[in-house]
Amino acid sequence: MGSGLEAAWRANRRCTSRSLAVDGKPLPPLPGLHTTEGRHRGIQRQIHEFPVCAARQLLADAPRPRPRHLSKFLPSSQPLDGVGSAPGPMSVELIDLHPAPADLYRLVQAGLAQQPKQLPAWLLYDAEGSRLFAEICQQPEYTLTRTEITLLEQQATQIAKAVGQGVVVEFGIGNARKVDPLLKALRPPAFLALDISRTALEDSLGALAQRHRDTPMLGICCDHSTLDALPDHPRLQGQRRIGFFPGSSLGNFRPEDAMTVLKRFRQLLAGGPLLLGLDQPRNPSLLEAAYNDAAGVSAAFARNLLHRLNRDLNGNARPEQFHYRARWQPVQHRIEMALVSRCDQTVQLAEQSWSFAKGEALITEHSVKYSPEAAAELASRAGWRIRQRWHDPDDTLSLHWLEPAD
């Protein structure tokens, strides 16, 4: 993405790419963790979608003194929400590696200095953006999340037989409903979620623990772009690792950055396989409709970015002076989403003045679509090979089983 791999990775790792928030009651705050109200996890948006996102990330909390490892195991006699009885064992542990906060001023200044202007997609996800994104995922034009969940539910048993046993590692907690079928079919020795948001980890792991009481849940709050290896933890020692990256979140990266992401996954999984969800090219009119729904929710979601920047950077952008555009770019095999200036104007943001010509675009995000052949080529360049592919009846979305090539 325009502000570099680190910002792009922060954007997509979350994301899911478009993924919904999980159901269920959240895990109570852990001792020693300060609250993170108002800090929402980003979600990567795909035609499915992340956000992520794709993944996507909001500003991390400012550092403050606290223990490096914070964990809490819940005994079978203590329900997660503190109400009623809780049959069977259940354990949830959170390790906080204290990812550094993003420098919003620097990112916005760098993005607006580019030609064309482009900002990291995770900036879309403040509280209102997260609410609008959840609404987007309910629109009839936006099908990927529903399609992927259905595919996972139908193929989970076959996927489990193919990939074998091991600790399931999800890159970005995403939609807990997506990993649900895998956990039921695999019954892994543990589930590990990596996410830059403690709030996302607490909420999603809490919900999953209620539904999979015999599977230990481990969350690591971290920035994957700086992680060379997973922490040395008893739940991981001697265990094969099975990676899970659904939601077509990889599509938010430029292809060269996507290759770097896959290489990092290969390193973190230490020889284990990866289950990768990717959206595929199709009729451009369907793709454009998925990102520009008739109800106007996607347009409101994009314009909310300007409201967020005005608030956080003391700006004066007028959202009504920009119209929203989502268009298919056939050469790059991607959807480009942008806010387009309705007139010549100057906007104050991040302590600088920025000129927009009439018709000039501010790109808010991209979503690359990978055919099976393109996915195989990308995987090969990153040191993977595709062993098997599962897809929906219309062959619009694939779940690829990747193994290290050597």
Side-chain angles (χ1 to χ4, degrees):
M1 306 271 302
S3 43
L5 177 58
E6 178 178 358
W9 170 251
R10 291 172 184 259
N12 288 275
R13 172 223 45 64
R14 311 247 338 226
C15 126
T16 105
S17 128
R18 287 191 184 197
S19 305
L20 293 179
V22 299
D23 299 324
K25 298 179 180 178
L27 179 67
L30 301 180
L33 280 179
H34 62 286
T35 60
T36 54
E37 291 300 321
R39 184 164 168 257
H40 296 260
R41 50 183 283 263
I43 309 161
Q44 121 87 21
R45 69 186 286 209
Q46 299 292 328
I47 176 159
H48 21 258
E49 215 57 326
F50 205 11
V52 272
C53 143
R56 292 165 174 172
Q57 164 213 7
L58 293 185
L59 293 182
D61 294 320
R64 66 182 69 187
R66 54 196 170 188
R68 183 165 183 79
H69 285 60
L70 298 168
S71 62
K72 182 176 183 180
F73 286 88
L74 303 178
S76 59
S77 60
Q78 179 185 347
L80 200 63
D81 58 3
V83 179
S85 62
M90 181 170 66
S91 70
V92 179
E93 183 179 6
L94 176 65
I95 298 174
D96 195 341
L97 300 184
H98 309 315
D103 185 339
L104 185 58
Y105 276 81
R106 179 183 61 81
L107 290 176
V108 170
Q109 289 170 353
L112 294 180
Q114 297 182 85
Q115 288 298 327
K117 296 178 172 69
Q118 181 173 354
L119 295 178
W122 58 263
L123 287 173
L124 292 159
Y125 290 91
D126 63 352
E128 177 64 5
S130 297
R131 185 194 68 79
L132 288 168
F133 176 76
E135 190 175 342
I136 286 172
C137 292
Q138 302 300 319
Q139 301 306 306
E141 299 95 334
Y142 191 72
T143 61
L144 189 145
T145 298
R146 298 187 292 273
T147 299
E148 190 168 43
I149 289 174
T150 299
L151 181 59
L152 283 162
E153 290 173 344
Q154 293 175 344
Q155 299 295 332
T157 300
Q158 295 303 315
I159 291 172
K161 290 179 180 178
V163 302
Q165 262 298 326
V167 172
V168 176
V169 180
E170 184 168 7
F171 296 99
I173 189 60
N175 186 340
R177 287 181 58 200
K178 291 184 179 181
V179 79
D180 246 335
L182 290 181
L183 296 182
K184 291 176 183 177
L186 283 167
R187 299 181 66 85
F191 171 65
L192 168 64
L194 308 178
D195 201 286
I196 203 162
S197 168
R198 287 191 306 274
T199 301
L201 289 167
E202 292 168 3
D203 291 350
S204 298
L205 291 178
L208 284 171
Q210 291 177 319
R211 299 193 291 270
H212 304 277
R213 307 187 76 86
D214 293 326
T215 301
M217 301 284 164
L218 175 64
I220 300 179
C221 184
C222 62
D223 178 354
H224 300 99
S225 68
T226 63
L227 245 155
D228 296 321
L230 297 180
D232 185 16
H233 189 276
R235 296 289 188 192
L236 304 179
Q237 290 175 356
Q239 296 287 351
R240 181 170 176 259
R241 301 168 184 177
I242 302 171
F244 184 48
F245 195 46
S248 201
S249 295
L250 199 68
N252 280 131
F253 296 95
R254 297 178 301 178
E256 58 269 31
D257 293 341
M259 180 178 66
T260 302
V261 169
L262 290 178
K263 286 181 177 180
R264 183 167 295 277
F265 286 173
R266 189 167 179 260
Q267 179 179 349
L268 294 175
L269 293 172
L274 173 67
L275 187 63
L276 177 66
L278 289 176
D279 196 22
Q280 299 171 188
R282 70 201 72 171
N283 187 320
S285 63
L286 295 178
L287 286 169
E288 290 177 351
Y291 291 92
N292 195 3
D293 53 272
V297 184
S298 290
F301 175 71
R303 288 195 186 97
N304 182 66
L305 170 64
L306 298 180
H307 289 294
R308 186 255 170 99
L309 295 180
N310 284 343
R311 181 190 68 237
D312 293 348
L313 299 178
N314 194 29
N316 67 352
R318 298 174 62 189
E320 69 275 10
Q321 293 296 334
F322 293 82
H323 71 85
Y324 173 68
R325 182 183 71 197
R327 65 181 182 185
W328 174 248
Q329 296 180 316
V331 174
Q332 297 90 350
H333 303 287
R334 71 189 183 191
I335 285 281
E336 179 186 87
M337 288 143 278
L339 291 168
V340 181
S341 180
R342 297 182 184 274
C343 59
D344 294 339
Q345 58 181 309
T346 299
V347 173
Q348 297 287 331
L349 282 175
E351 300 179 345
Q352 292 188 32
S353 297
W354 306 96
S355 296
F356 286 83
K358 182 179 180 179
E360 183 177 359
L362 168 60
I363 298 171
T364 58
E365 57 184 323
H366 285 129
S367 179
V368 180
K369 309 302 177 185
Y370 288 93
S371 67
E373 296 76 18
E377 180 181 356
L378 176 66
S380 176
R381 292 170 57 204
W384 296 92
R385 61 190 177 98
I386 296 179
R387 287 285 303 276
Q388 192 168 339
R389 180 175 78 97
W390 296 270
H391 60 83
D392 67 295
D394 294 328
D395 203 6
T396 62
L397 178 142
S398 292
L399 291 169
H400 299 276
W401 167 25
L402 277 61
E403 292 275 3
D406 50 24

